[in-house]
């Protein structure tokens, strides 16, 4: 056996081999139908071109700010059936669409409150580590007090905020820009 190192390999695109059964684009199970929203958008590279092989993973709390996880110390209130997790592939044009609910205010790590948000991980070919970001909601009163959003320069915050596409606020648009002038804010985790 040789002790020589081998060249690095890029990741994927393996997401369609063995992972499609894990796709979950409807996160609304256990939620009241009147509370559902649709979030759609695109994953774009630094030149504004669609990325056809990305996958988004979404993790979120229910409408009461409770995660479906045994380590969430928040008091369980409301629907225990809401799972709060999804895996959403993009199509050949880099487009994604999923249904969910708007989460409630969440407890922060130091006892502060966090604005309603969705935690998002982006996976795609060529990435050895996932990209981690968040989706916040335009006009939410909690945005101004959110300790994570407060750390993002004001000029870049709009990359984390989903905007209503309809008058009822039931369809939201949020794009992921991997590089460039409109690059989405990604967090080190």
């Amino acid at each position: 056996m040789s002790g020589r190192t081998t060249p690095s390999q890029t990741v994927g695109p393996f997401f369609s081999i063995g992972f499609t059964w894990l796709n979950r684009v409807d996160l609304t199970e256990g939620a009241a139908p009147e509370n559902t929203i649709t979030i759609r958008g695109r994953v774009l590279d630094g030149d504004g071109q669609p990325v056809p092989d990305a996958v988004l993973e979404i993790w979120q709390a229910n409408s009461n700010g409770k995660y479906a996880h045994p380590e969430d110390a928040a008091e369980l209130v409301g629907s225990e059936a809401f799972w709060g997790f999804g895996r959403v592939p993009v199509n050949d044009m880099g487009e994604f669409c999923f249904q969910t609910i708007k989460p409630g205010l969440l407890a922060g790590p130091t006892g502060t409150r966090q604005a309603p948000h969705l935690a998002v991980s982006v996976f795609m070919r060529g990435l050895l580590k996932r990209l981690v970001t968040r989706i916040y909601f335009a006009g939410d009163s909690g945005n101004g007090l959110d300790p994570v959003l407060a750390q993002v320069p004001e000029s870049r915050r709009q990359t984390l905020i989903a905007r209503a596409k309809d008058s009822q606020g039931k369809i939201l648009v949020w794009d992921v820009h991997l590089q460039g002038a409109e690059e989405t804010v990604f967090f080190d985790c």
Side-chain angles (χ1 to χ4, degrees):
M1 181 192 269
S2 168
R4 294 182 306 164
T5 59
T6 57
S8 297
Q9 300 293 314
T10 59
V11 176
F14 302 119
F15 302 119
S16 64
I17 304 171
F19 283 113
T20 54
W21 69 275
L22 295 170
N23 291 347
R24 183 182 171 105
V25 298
D26 186 350
L27 286 67
T28 62
E29 183 179 331
E34 64 271 13
N35 294 333
T36 64
I37 57 174
T38 298
I39 298 179
R40 60 177 51 158
R42 301 172 301 159
V43 178
L44 304 167
D45 68 15
D47 293 325
Q49 297 301 307
V51 175
D53 59 357
V55 173
L56 306 179
E57 282 188 351
I58 295 98
W59 180 244
Q60 72 169 90
N62 68 14
S63 59
N64 296 303
K66 167 75 175 142
Y67 282 99
H69 191 283
E71 292 182 16
D72 186 343
E75 182 180 338
L76 183 60
V77 179
S79 173
E80 294 182 39
F82 182 72
W83 195 17
F85 175 79
R87 183 173 283 124
V88 182
V90 301
N91 65 18
D92 289 341
M93 296 304 298
E95 300 165 328
F96 61 87
C97 181
F98 63 95
Q99 292 72 44
T100 191
I101 62 168
K102 183 178 176 183
L105 286 171
L106 296 103
T110 60
T112 60
R113 300 298 273 174
Q114 294 185 48
H117 67 274
L118 284 63
V120 178
S121 292
V122 180
F123 299 91
M124 58 178 262
R125 93 182 116 75
L127 286 180
L128 298 177
K129 284 182 61 176
R130 67 188 172 131
L131 299 173
V132 178
T133 190
R134 286 182 169 193
I135 300 174
Y136 289 91
F137 298 88
D140 191 280
S141 60
N143 288 351
L145 302 174
D146 187 89
V148 174
L149 197 54
Q151 292 182 37
V152 175
E154 193 169 339
S155 63
R156 306 262 338 271
R157 290 181 192 161
Q158 81 281 355
T159 70
L160 300 173
I161 297 176
R163 308 232 178 259
K165 187 173 181 172
D166 66 333
S167 59
Q168 295 85 24
K170 295 292 214 174
I171 300 174
L172 305 173
V173 176
W174 177 76
D175 293 332
V176 178
H177 294 268
L178 298 172
Q179 294 177 317
E182 298 179 65
E183 180 179 346
T184 301
V185 171
F186 298 107
F187 300 102
D188 290 329
C189 294

